[in-house]
Amino acid sequence: MDSGSLAWVLISAALVLFMIPGLALFYGGMDRSRHVLNMLMMNLYCALVVPIVWVVVGFSLASGSNDWIGNFDFAFLKDIGIEDGGGQIATIAFLGMFAAITPALISGAVADRMKFSAWAIFVPLWSLLVYVPVFKWVYGGWLGDRGSLDFAGGTAIHVNAGIAALAAVLVLGKRKGWPREAMPPHSMPLVIIGTGILWFGWFGFNAGSALAANGQAAQAFMNTFLAAAAAGLAWIVVEWLRDGHPTTLGAASGIVAGLVAVTPAAGYVSGMAPIFIGLIAGVVCCYAVRIKFKLGFDDALDVVGVHFVGGLVGSLTIGFFANPEFFAGEFHAGIFYDGGWGLLGEQALANLAAIVWSFVITGVLMLGLKKTIGIRVSDQAEAEGLDVTEHAETAYH
Amino acid sequence: MDSGSLAWVLISAALVLFMIPGLALFYGGMDRSRHVLNMLMMNLYCALVVPIVWVVVGFSLASGSNDWIGNFDFAFLKDIGIEDGGGQIATIAFLGMFAAITPALISGAVADRMKFSAWAIFVPLWSLLVYVPVFKWVYGGWLGDRGSLDFAGGTAIHVNAGIAALAAVLVLGKRKGWPREAMPPHSMPLVIIGTGILWFGWFGFNAGSALAANGQAAQAFMNTFLAAAAAGLAWIVVEWLRDGHPTTLGAASGIVAGLVAVTPAAGYVSGMAPIFIGLIAGVVCCYAVRIKFKLGFDDALDVVGVHFVGGLVGSLTIGFFANPEFFAGEFHAGIFYDGGWGLLGEQALANLAAIVWSFVITGVLMLGLKKTIGIRVSDQAEAEGLDVTEHAETAYH
Amino acid sequence: MDSGSLAWVLISAALVLFMIPGLALFYGGMDRSRHVLNMLMMNLYCALVVPIVWVVVGFSLASGSNDWIGNFDFAFLKDIGIEDGGGQIATIAFLGMFAAITPALISGAVADRMKFSAWAIFVPLWSLLVYVPVFKWVYGGWLGDRGSLDFAGGTAIHVNAGIAALAAVLVLGKRKGWPREAMPPHSMPLVIIGTGILWFGWFGFNAGSALAANGQAAQAFMNTFLAAAAAGLAWIVVEWLRDGHPTTLGAASGIVAGLVAVTPAAGYVSGMAPIFIGLIAGVVCCYAVRIKFKLGFDDALDVVGVHFVGGLVGSLTIGFFANPEFFAGEFHAGIFYDGGWGLLGEQALANLAAIVWSFVITGVLMLGLKKTIGIRVSDQAEAEGLDVTEHAETAYH
Amino acid sequence: MKLITAVIKPFKLDDAKEAVVAAGAKGITVSEVRGFGRQGGHTETYRGAEYRIDFIPKVKLELLVDDEAVDTVVSALASAVSTGKIGDGKIWVTSVDQVVRIRTGERGPDAL
Amino acid sequence: MKLITAVIKPFKLDDAKEAVVAAGAKGITVSEVRGFGRQGGHTETYRGAEYRIDFIPKVKLELLVDDEAVDTVVSALASAVSTGKIGDGKIWVTSVDQVVRIRTGERGPDAL
Amino acid sequence: MKLITAVIKPFKLDDAKEAVVAAGAKGITVSEVRGFGRQGGHTETYRGAEYRIDFIPKVKLELLVDDEAVDTVVSALASAVSTGKIGDGKIWVTSVDQVVRIRTGERGPDAL
Ligand SMILES: Nc1ncnc2c1ncn2[C@@H]1O[C@H](COP(=O)(O)OP(=O)(O)O)[C@@H](O)[C@H]1O
Ligand SMILES: Nc1ncnc2c1ncn2[C@@H]1O[C@H](COP(=O)(O)OP(=O)(O)O)[C@@H](O)[C@H]1O
Ligand SMILES: Nc1ncnc2c1ncn2[C@@H]1O[C@H](COP(=O)(O)OP(=O)(O)O)[C@@H](O)[C@H]1O
């Protein structure tokens, strides 16, 4: 890796790390003030435990030539040096950030009622049992080999975490009072701080996934810029027409939905495609976040509506917009670029595989924890606030 | 563009994007708590609509060989690929961030009383009718060609947005109760979060404008560092002597004033010049923010006093400090480097042209909106807070 | 410096600058609400005055071939150009950020009771009399020449500022009511915003200290990632076992302790070493922050417990973990890599020298200020809050 | 006229509002308060230092009502917010000499 | 001695203060409250879910005054903060048995 | 039964609590308030514009006590929070018609 690319991968990795507190604040601001520290902790905890798991064994299991799962060759980063100028170490760190933020996404769904001890066990297990296999299938495994595309983790990260969030809340149950009681965000400025950090960091997430400072990185960057803008715009326009007001939370949510949707596509689409992807994601997710009220699952901060649905939208639109010519790339073209329906089929299959695996294993994991140490705090703790009961702290004095 | 320069332009572009929520928080913290979300939304909205406008037609109109305005050759980013390694795409994204943040600057002036629907129309129109032409004149148009200098947007961005802010508030009128009623910042920590993000991001804004990782970028970086420090220092010293206390808002305001002032100069001055520019900007802007009370225009968060005056200070001081020898550059020398008065004259002319155009067109735009859809919320909405009335939200629960 | 390395050093420098508001928010959130602006101001002030001091004379005194102190050859950045492509200017800016953040660390100890006028004089004097000499000894002076290692400022920055904090509070005295009165953090979300910025920025701090985008930078990056995670984990595990709850402030404190500890080691250790360093730092610092209650010195926000102790832990563990083979480097090996006890001895000596100098000079400086202009606000001001009395502002309205 | 003041658990506010409105109350003024009582507080820990927090978040309601409405409102309120657990709070009633509706200048019971 | 309590619109606080001071009041204690009444609240929307917010921000003033000052102060206050629009708020007066100035230990009217 | 209300300096809250508990009080309800009085306020400056802040942070305590406990509690409280400096605050006492403990439905002195 030349020094320019190394600089780009390193700063991109730092940007992805920064997204973890960004996500924590995005979620924390939306939360109620007596639970906000628990939310911050659930996110921070992912940044504490997953890096260790990743270098000890996770990366090794996610590598290798096998189609399904790696081996222990690189456990404890064995034999990984810097003779190559640092590219490999930088890449492992970069991927470690991805591994850390993925379970953090789930925290928004289980907010305000999950035992922290259960979360503390859930995260490393989920990383190894769900994240690592799906990652492996998509990047260097059977799904990727078949030709499905996922530039920066639409399937491997957003769809994966989003469907896991659904499985988790189905086992965990609803918050007391939901949906009867109003649970508005306790601090919208925190949400916007989080949104700003997320958008900023997502440039590293997506454009860094080129693993080089090159044309693909530049285009991924531009796509990240445009899709977020378009989705934010679409979301507030829908709100304006439908509910009568464009909202700040809508703008923020739209931005995130656009970022999610463009994630799998960032290095494969060009021109006005990111704007279309963003517009679609903004409209679809703006409606998708209301499904939970219809179906009655308490996905507290809309991980399903934004990450699962947004990720799926992005992943499937690749089937239409993928443009190998623009990138002089070796991947399949989408329908709009005369690639036929094949790619769309592969995208559907890849997501289906991820959804099934993630949903089932996450559900089993949560059920296992429920049967053993328990996953839910007492009603009294829920009423008093998890900050005090789980962490012996209060957010504001 | 080599990979090191591409890495630098990409991260710089991300930094400029990050400045938009930074600016939103800087302004939002200074605002009162019942209007803060409206302020955040006005800023975010710029980041949603301007990128689309920019790639659809803005960039194309800002390019080309004509002296006054570009054409539609690059509309929808037609024919722009990554065969050059991504440099062009990265540059267009970078410039798109500039286009997005410029109208956002104006939001601080019109705070707390402007209809969001009017703002929603104002922003894209202002981008096309004011920002794009002035940008074109300065960078590759008649003003730049005459020899005036504007490294990262002193004239094109800060003077331009600052004088537009003045025109806008003259049409819009004062906030109810101003200046009789005290309207202190509702959250100084938010202001400081914003200030931190702005300073951080401004390194991308200024040093990224070299569009390469080279000596000029390094010097622009150093200048950005020093001018902000000097201006912050100057501002609090003036306050200490004049008002009896150095204030946190003063330090923050001085930092921003210094950053504004060094923006046009960053790639043309060296040595201790940024310190002098910063000191001048700090002192002058610290006095300039009080002019509104004398003249009676309600520039709520001092866009005129900081961006217009600061930008002008920076742009004119180039006439003294420009040092082509240091940069081995082809530009005119300032007075202190034996360049004579010519450059200063060009700087004055360039700013004058920008001021006249921006003031007139912005005024006409605001008047047009006033006559048609109206630009001002009801007195009742102003009293109740724009967060609830315009966005159906409350910042804190 | 090639363009990739320049890009990396520039963005690293911007990251370190960003750490200053990050630190301000980290401390400010832990502070009580009536003193928070004073805390923010103490930090910001370092970013205003130190850069000027640094380029006027500090950098020059910290350079040169003398073993103890530099000279005035580079005062006012004399003769420093960009013919080298900007590497030197970038490096001086990068080091200027370090100079600025170091005294800011001390502010957390003297919180809530120090006159701002005394702080205003203390900071530039401390920079010149303590920071510059210690920096010079460690980097290109007698301590470094003997073979002690300090990659990014464990001894020169953290141990140095940490012991200075102790000297400062011994002269300054305790806050009224300490330790009887509860003084919980007024805003934990601010603490987490600060923590996020610090971790993010620390990648620039540590990996940027390679002054190139190369293998050492990549490894320093990885080490920064892992040590912070391990230390945060260790801290909350200790809390969980000892106090019954893992706390958010504990996670944040552990992350910072890990970052401090890995600072001196970042470019010299590899493999699982950063995890061990982090674990040790997390456990040791979690206990060290309680020493102040035993010994009765009022180090308000635990600068001694985190920076002094954490820096010392990191610096001494180099004596065990330094691995020159991995880096193909010319430095001494640690005990675990068959280097014997020599390096550990040098590390101990270097820290001892820094501790003695810093403690004595800081103490004398504080005593001098106490005798002359006074260092402590009135009891009434302390009760009313330094925000109003020192800065005529209130944080929240 | 009487002033009914109640200190209740925060999450019972909505129930309280519905109950008193059903019982005929025309308005309520609410404040965030912290209460100390039999319920005891909790312990918070910051960097290993334990702080005893004796005051826990409560919500205070003030209602101006007609003399004859007092008992109905008090009973309705009490039964709506009772959880049977310690810390449910208190209701107290004081006499009011005069009430003015600012908008109209009305006084006495009409001003409620 | 009497205690005058007033719940008013927040942006009227400065006017209220000036009016009562002019009418002879020596001190005021103010709290942020939320009020429910005829004015009705507003609707907030978060991600498409509508929440009815019944309680709107108000400011509560408490003034201890001499018996003879009550009417002047109440009238001054009422006219200063009235906008004629719904939601202007209420003023109510209760009797106070005893007042103590903490600093001096003075009791009764001298303590006001 | 009586209601004792006290407005005191915020940093005296802990002392106040200890004193009234020692004097036999069973509970306290506390609110953050801002006070205007003889103490005067302070001036804040934002970008060179001076704002006069007349209201300074205070803490308000409300205690329901038995008739016979009033004097003891008032005296204990007054002496615990007095600093002798202007702005120490006020204590006032009003009569309470009825008190209800929500949890049990107890009324009167038993409900305290
Ligand atoms: N004597 C009192 N005076 C004022 N407020 C009281 C008094 N006793 C209790 N309170 C308030 O009522 C709340 C609940 O009281 P507590 O004694 O904890 O439980 P319970 O109401 O079940 O007896 C307290 O937090 C406090 O706000
Ligand atoms: N019966 C009441 N008891 C206590 N507070 C009341 C009562 N009625 C009104 N209030 C307070 O006065 C405020 C204004 O009352 P509202 O009925 O909305 O308008 P108006 O005062 O114009 O009749 C309310 O928000 C509430 O705080
Ligand atoms: N007449 C009053 N009515 C209501 N509250 C009062 C009154 N006078 C004083 N207060 C409250 O008591 C506080 C202290 O009063 P102040 O006049 O400043 O000093 P002191 O209590 O020493 O006379 C004020 O800030 C205010 O909250």
Side-chain angles (χ1 to χ4, degrees):
Chain A
M1 199 178 278
D2 69 79
S3 71
S5 291
L6 183 64
W8 179 239
V9 173
L10 289 180
I11 185 62
S12 292
L15 284 167
V16 181
L17 186 281
F18 196 33
M19 289 172 72
I20 300 176
L23 183 69
L25 297 164
F26 179 72
Y27 282 162
M30 266 189 272
D31 215 333
R32 282 160 301 161
S33 59
R34 69 186 191 273
H35 303 303
V36 54
L37 296 184
N38 176 251
M39 177 50 68
L40 298 179
M41 263 302 256
M42 283 203 286
N43 281 275
L44 282 187
Y45 176 71
C46 295
L48 303 184
V49 77
V50 178
I52 312 293
V53 171
W54 183 248
V55 296
V56 165
V57 68
F59 166 71
S60 192
L61 286 174
S63 316
S65 56
N66 184 307
D67 240 13
W68 296 87
I69 193 74
N71 52 41
F72 295 95
D73 287 357
F74 302 116
F76 300 99
L77 299 185
K78 195 151 45 77
D79 298 332
I80 294 177
I82 54 173
E83 302 79 17
D84 69 340
Q88 199 181 3
I89 282 285
T91 304
I92 297 170
F94 181 69
L95 295 178
M97 311 299 189
F98 281 71
I101 202 171
T102 307
L105 295 172
I106 304 171
S107 65
V110 300
D112 306 358
R113 58 207 191 276
M114 187 164 174
K115 282 170 73 170
F116 188 73
S117 56
W119 180 253
I121 296 172
F122 175 81
V123 170
L125 288 182
W126 190 87
S127 289
L128 286 174
L129 300 179
V130 182
Y131 180 72
V132 162
V134 173
F135 179 93
K136 172 68 184 152
W137 301 350
V138 171
Y139 301 106
W142 67 284
L143 291 174
D145 290 351
R146 293 180 54 99
S148 75
L149 299 175
D150 186 7
F151 192 65
T155 306
I157 292 175
H158 295 287
V159 168
N160 189 356
I163 198 71
L166 179 62
V169 298
L170 289 178
V171 180
L172 186 59
K174 307 170 192 177
R175 286 168 294 173
K176 298 283 156 228
W178 185 87
R180 197 178 34 77
E181 212 180 287
M183 299 172 172
H186 91 283
S187 173
M188 279 302 302
L190 272 195
V191 173
I192 299 304
I193 294 172
T195 306
I197 295 175
L198 285 173
W199 197 351
F200 176 51
W202 225 296
F203 288 111
F205 198 95
N206 285 355
S209 288
L211 293 175
N214 59 15
Q216 192 183 34
Q219 185 60 40
F221 189 101
M222 176 64 98
N223 291 339
T224 303
F225 181 40
L226 295 177
L233 200 59
W235 190 302
I236 62 172
V237 167
V238 169
E239 284 189 333
W240 213 335
L241 298 173
R242 185 187 69 188
D243 311 330
H245 297 92
T247 73
T248 317
L249 184 60
S253 307
I255 289 168
V256 173
L259 291 165
V260 167
V262 83
T263 293
Y268 304 125
V269 305
S270 62
M272 297 297 106
I275 298 184
F276 292 116
I277 294 174
L279 292 173
I280 298 168
V283 172
V284 171
C285 292
C286 183
Y287 282 96
V289 291
R290 311 214 292 193
I291 294 172
K292 67 181 182 184
F293 296 109
K294 303 248 164 66
L295 301 186
F297 61 92
D298 181 13
D299 170 17
L301 309 178
D302 297 311
V303 182
V304 178
V306 174
H307 293 275
F308 174 67
V309 174
L312 208 54
V313 163
S315 197
L316 296 179
T317 50
I318 297 176
F320 297 85
F321 289 111
N323 183 356
E325 203 189 316
F326 184 89
F327 293 95
E330 302 268 293
F331 53 88
H332 289 299
I335 294 167
F336 296 157
Y337 293 89
D338 300 324
W341 293 79
L343 182 54
L344 185 60
E346 289 303 329
Q347 295 302 104
L349 175 69
N351 283 292
L352 190 68
I355 288 168
V356 171
W357 180 265
S358 180
F359 188 85
V360 171
I361 306 296
T362 306
V364 169
L365 205 51
M366 286 293 285
L367 282 170
L369 287 167
K370 186 174 176 177
K371 297 285 172 220
T372 52
I373 63 165
I375 49 177
R376 192 151 178 156
V377 301
S378 70
D379 291 4
Q380 164 121 22
E382 202 176 329
E384 216 189 311
L386 274 69
D387 293 359
V388 164
T389 60
E390 293 292 290
H391 308 294
E393 294 175 297
T394 306
Y396 304 99
H397 274 279
Chain B
M1 198 178 279
D2 69 79
S3 72
S5 291
L6 183 64
W8 179 238
V9 174
L10 289 181
I11 186 61
S12 291
L15 284 167
V16 181
L17 187 281
F18 196 32
M19 291 174 71
I20 299 177
L23 182 70
L25 297 163
F26 180 72
Y27 282 162
M30 267 190 268
D31 216 332
R32 284 161 300 160
S33 59
R34 68 186 191 274
H35 302 303
V36 55
L37 296 183
N38 176 250
M39 176 51 69
L40 298 179
M41 261 303 255
M42 284 203 286
N43 281 274
L44 282 188
Y45 177 70
C46 296
L48 303 184
V49 77
V50 178
I52 313 292
V53 171
W54 182 249
V55 297
V56 165
V57 67
F59 167 71
S60 192
L61 287 173
S63 316
S65 56
N66 184 307
D67 240 14
W68 297 87
I69 193 75
N71 51 41
F72 294 95
D73 286 359
F74 301 116
F76 299 100
L77 298 185
K78 196 149 47 76
D79 297 332
I80 294 176
I82 54 173
E83 302 78 18
D84 70 339
Q88 199 181 0
I89 281 286
T91 304
I92 296 171
F94 181 68
L95 296 178
M97 311 298 190
F98 280 72
I101 201 171
T102 308
L105 295 172
I106 303 171
S107 67
V110 300
D112 305 358
R113 58 207 193 274
M114 187 164 173
K115 283 169 71 169
F116 188 73
S117 56
W119 180 253
I121 297 172
F122 175 82
V123 169
L125 288 182
W126 191 88
S127 289
L128 286 174
L129 300 179
V130 182
Y131 180 72
V132 162
V134 172
F135 179 94
K136 172 68 185 151
W137 302 351
V138 169
Y139 300 106
W142 66 284
L143 291 175
D145 291 350
R146 292 181 55 99
S148 75
L149 299 176
D150 186 8
F151 192 66
T155 306
I157 292 175
H158 295 288
V159 167
N160 189 356
I163 197 72
L166 180 61
V169 297
L170 290 179
V171 178
L172 187 60
K174 306 170 193 175
R175 286 168 294 173
K176 297 286 155 226
W178 186 86
R180 195 178 37 78
E181 212 179 287
M183 297 171 173
H186 91 283
S187 173
M188 280 300 303
L190 272 195
V191 174
I192 298 306
I193 293 171
T195 306
I197 295 175
L198 285 174
W199 196 351
F200 176 50
W202 224 296
F203 288 111
F205 198 96
N206 285 355
S209 288
L211 292 175
N214 60 16
Q216 193 183 32
Q219 184 60 40
F221 190 101
M222 176 65 96
N223 291 338
T224 303
F225 181 40
L226 296 177
L233 200 59
W235 189 303
I236 62 173
V237 168
V238 169
E239 283 189 333
W240 213 335
L241 298 174
R242 184 186 70 186
D243 311 330
H245 297 91
T247 73
T248 318
L249 184 59
S253 307
I255 289 168
V256 173
L259 291 166
V260 168
V262 83
T263 295
Y268 304 126
V269 305
S270 62
M272 297 296 107
I275 298 185
F276 293 116
I277 294 174
L279 292 174
I280 297 168
V283 173
V284 171
C285 292
C286 184
Y287 281 96
V289 292
R290 310 215 294 192
I291 294 173
K292 67 181 182 185
F293 296 110
K294 301 249 164 67
L295 300 186
F297 60 92
D298 181 12
D299 171 18
L301 309 178
D302 298 311
V303 182
V304 178
V306 173
H307 293 275
F308 174 67
V309 174
L312 208 54
V313 163
S315 197
L316 296 178
T317 50
I318 297 175
F320 297 85
F321 290 109
N323 183 356
E325 204 189 314
F326 184 89
F327 292 95
E330 301 267 294
F331 53 87
H332 290 299
I335 293 166
F336 296 158
Y337 293 90
D338 301 325
W341 293 80
L343 181 55
L344 185 59
E346 289 304 330
Q347 295 301 103
L349 175 69
N351 283 293
L352 190 68
I355 289 169
V356 171
W357 181 266
S358 180
F359 188 85
V360 171
I361 307 296
T362 307
V364 168
L365 206 50
M366 287 292 284
L367 282 170
L369 287 167
K370 185 173 177 178
K371 296 285 172 220
T372 51
I373 62 164
I375 50 178
R376 194 151 176 154
V377 302
S378 70
D379 291 4
Q380 164 119 21
E382 203 178 327
E384 215 188 312
L386 274 69
D387 292 0
V388 164
T389 60
E390 294 290 291
H391 308 293
E393 294 175 296
T394 305
Y396 305 100
H397 272 281
Chain C
M1 199 177 278
D2 69 79
S3 71
S5 291
L6 183 64
W8 179 241
V9 174
L10 289 180
I11 186 61
S12 292
L15 284 167
V16 181
L17 185 281
F18 196 33
M19 290 172 71
I20 300 177
L23 183 69
L25 297 164
F26 179 72
Y27 282 162
M30 266 189 270
D31 215 333
R32 283 160 300 160
S33 59
R34 66 187 193 273
H35 302 303
V36 54
L37 297 183
N38 177 251
M39 177 49 70
L40 299 179
M41 261 304 255
M42 285 203 284
N43 281 275
L44 281 187
Y45 177 72
C46 295
L48 303 184
V49 77
V50 178
I52 313 292
V53 170
W54 182 249
V55 296
V56 165
V57 67
F59 166 71
S60 192
L61 287 173
S63 317
S65 56
N66 184 306
D67 240 14
W68 297 87
I69 191 76
N71 52 40
F72 294 94
D73 286 358
F74 300 117
F76 300 100
L77 299 185
K78 196 149 47 74
D79 298 332
I80 294 176
I82 54 173
E83 301 79 17
D84 69 339
Q88 199 181 2
I89 281 285
T91 304
I92 297 170
F94 181 69
L95 296 178
M97 310 300 189
F98 281 71
I101 203 172
T102 308
L105 294 173
I106 304 171
S107 66
V110 300
D112 305 358
R113 57 207 193 277
M114 185 164 177
K115 282 168 72 169
F116 188 72
S117 56
W119 180 253
I121 296 172
F122 176 82
V123 169
L125 288 182
W126 190 88
S127 288
L128 287 174
L129 300 179
V130 182
Y131 180 72
V132 163
V134 172
F135 179 93
K136 172 67 186 151
W137 302 350
V138 170
Y139 301 107
W142 67 284
L143 291 175
D145 290 351
R146 293 179 54 98
S148 77
L149 299 175
D150 186 8
F151 191 66
T155 307
I157 291 175
H158 294 287
V159 168
N160 189 356
I163 197 71
L166 180 61
V169 298
L170 290 178
V171 179
L172 186 60
K174 305 171 192 174
R175 287 168 294 171
K176 298 282 155 231
W178 186 88
R180 193 178 38 77
E181 211 179 287
M183 298 173 173
H186 90 282
S187 172
M188 280 301 303
L190 272 195
V191 173
I192 298 305
I193 294 172
T195 306
I197 295 175
L198 285 173
W199 196 351
F200 176 50
W202 224 297
F203 287 111
F205 198 96
N206 285 355
S209 288
L211 293 174
N214 59 16
Q216 192 183 33
Q219 184 59 41
F221 189 102
M222 176 65 97
N223 291 338
T224 303
F225 181 41
L226 296 177
L233 201 59
W235 190 302
I236 62 171
V237 168
V238 170
E239 284 189 332
W240 213 336
L241 298 173
R242 185 187 69 187
D243 311 330
H245 296 92
T247 73
T248 318
L249 184 60
S253 307
I255 289 169
V256 173
L259 291 166
V260 167
V262 83
T263 295
Y268 304 125
V269 305
S270 61
M272 297 296 106
I275 297 183
F276 293 116
I277 294 174
L279 292 174
I280 298 167
V283 173
V284 172
C285 292
C286 183
Y287 281 96
V289 293
R290 309 215 294 193
I291 295 173
K292 66 180 183 184
F293 295 108
K294 302 248 164 68
L295 301 185
F297 60 93
D298 180 13
D299 171 18
L301 310 178
D302 298 310
V303 182
V304 177
V306 174
H307 293 275
F308 174 67
V309 174
L312 208 55
V313 163
S315 197
L316 296 178
T317 49
I318 297 175
F320 296 85
F321 288 110
N323 183 358
E325 201 188 316
F326 183 89
F327 293 94
E330 302 266 292
F331 53 89
H332 290 298
I335 293 166
F336 295 158
Y337 294 89
D338 300 325
W341 293 80
L343 181 56
L344 185 59
E346 289 303 329
Q347 295 301 104
L349 175 69
N351 283 294
L352 189 68
I355 289 168
V356 171
W357 180 265
S358 180
F359 188 84
V360 171
I361 306 295
T362 306
V364 169
L365 205 52
M366 286 294 283
L367 282 170
L369 286 166
K370 185 174 178 177
K371 295 285 172 221
T372 51
I373 63 164
I375 49 177
R376 191 148 178 158
V377 300
S378 70
D379 291 3
Q380 162 120 23
E382 202 177 329
E384 214 188 313
L386 274 69
D387 292 359
V388 164
T389 60
E390 294 291 289
H391 307 294
E393 294 175 297
T394 306
Y396 304 99
H397 274 280
Chain D
M1 292 155 297
K2 300 288 181 184
L3 174 68
I4 302 173
T5 306
V7 176
I8 64 170
K9 292 187 170 162
F11 68 94
K12 282 291 183 184
L13 177 58
D14 279 348
D15 293 339
K17 193 204 73 187
E18 275 161 37
V20 300
V21 168
K26 292 286 181 300
I28 317 174
T29 299
V30 169
S31 19
E32 314 288 329
V33 299
R34 289 174 294 143
F36 164 76
R38 281 169 194 76
Q39 188 184 354
H42 59 253
T43 303
E44 298 185 4
T45 316
Y46 297 97
R47 287 186 170 165
E50 292 206 345
Y51 299 131
R52 181 87 212 135
I53 306 290
D54 288 313
F55 293 96
I56 32 188
K58 299 278 172 187
V59 153
K60 185 172 89 173
L61 278 64
E62 289 169 296
L63 298 108
L64 294 162
V65 295
D66 257 343
D67 290 356
E68 48 278 24
V70 173
D71 288 340
T72 344
V73 173
V74 168
S75 310
L77 182 54
S79 69
V81 302
S82 168
T83 67
K85 298 235 182 63
I86 204 161
D88 273 355
K90 310 275 180 228
I91 303 175
W92 65 90
V93 181
T94 53
S95 297
V96 174
D97 299 355
Q98 183 58 285
V99 176
V100 182
R101 162 173 288 131
I102 295 172
R103 168 164 50 99
T104 57
E106 284 160 291
R107 300 195 167 218
D110 292 346
L112 293 180
Chain E
M1 291 153 299
K2 300 288 182 183
L3 174 69
I4 302 173
T5 305
V7 176
I8 64 170
K9 291 186 171 164
F11 67 94
K12 281 292 182 183
L13 177 59
D14 279 348
D15 294 338
K17 193 204 73 187
E18 276 161 37
V20 299
V21 168
K26 291 288 180 299
I28 317 175
T29 298
V30 168
S31 20
E32 314 288 328
V33 299
R34 290 175 294 144
F36 164 76
R38 282 169 193 75
Q39 188 185 353
H42 60 254
T43 302
E44 299 186 3
T45 315
Y46 297 97
R47 288 187 169 164
E50 292 207 345
Y51 297 130
R52 181 87 213 135
I53 307 290
D54 287 315
F55 293 95
I56 33 189
K58 301 278 171 187
V59 154
K60 185 172 89 172
L61 278 63
E62 288 170 295
L63 298 106
L64 295 161
V65 294
D66 257 343
D67 290 356
E68 48 280 23
V70 173
D71 288 341
T72 342
V73 173
V74 167
S75 309
L77 181 55
S79 69
V81 304
S82 168
T83 66
K85 300 237 180 63
I86 205 161
D88 274 353
K90 311 273 180 229
I91 304 176
W92 65 88
V93 181
T94 53
S95 297
V96 174
D97 299 355
Q98 183 59 283
V99 176
V100 182
R101 161 172 289 130
I102 295 172
R103 169 165 49 99
T104 57
E106 284 160 291
R107 301 198 166 216
D110 291 346
L112 294 180
Chain F
M1 294 152 298
K2 300 286 181 185
L3 173 69
I4 302 174
T5 306
V7 176
I8 64 170
K9 291 186 170 161
F11 67 94
K12 282 291 182 185
L13 177 58
D14 278 348
D15 294 339
K17 192 203 74 188
E18 276 161 36
V20 300
V21 168
K26 292 287 180 301
I28 317 175
T29 299
V30 169
S31 19
E32 314 287 328
V33 299
R34 290 175 294 144
F36 164 77
R38 282 169 193 75
Q39 188 185 354
H42 60 254
T43 301
E44 299 185 4
T45 314
Y46 296 97
R47 288 189 170 162
E50 292 205 345
Y51 298 129
R52 181 87 213 133
I53 306 291
D54 287 312
F55 293 95
I56 34 189
K58 300 277 171 189
V59 154
K60 186 172 89 173
L61 278 64
E62 288 169 296
L63 299 108
L64 295 162
V65 296
D66 257 342
D67 290 355
E68 47 279 26
V70 173
D71 288 340
T72 343
V73 172
V74 167
S75 308
L77 181 54
S79 69
V81 303
S82 169
T83 67
K85 298 234 182 65
I86 203 161
D88 273 353
K90 311 274 179 231
I91 303 175
W92 64 89
V93 181
T94 53
S95 298
V96 174
D97 299 355
Q98 183 59 282
V99 176
V100 182
R101 163 172 288 130
I102 295 171
R103 169 165 48 101
T104 57
E106 284 160 291
R107 303 200 163 212
D110 292 345
L112 294 180

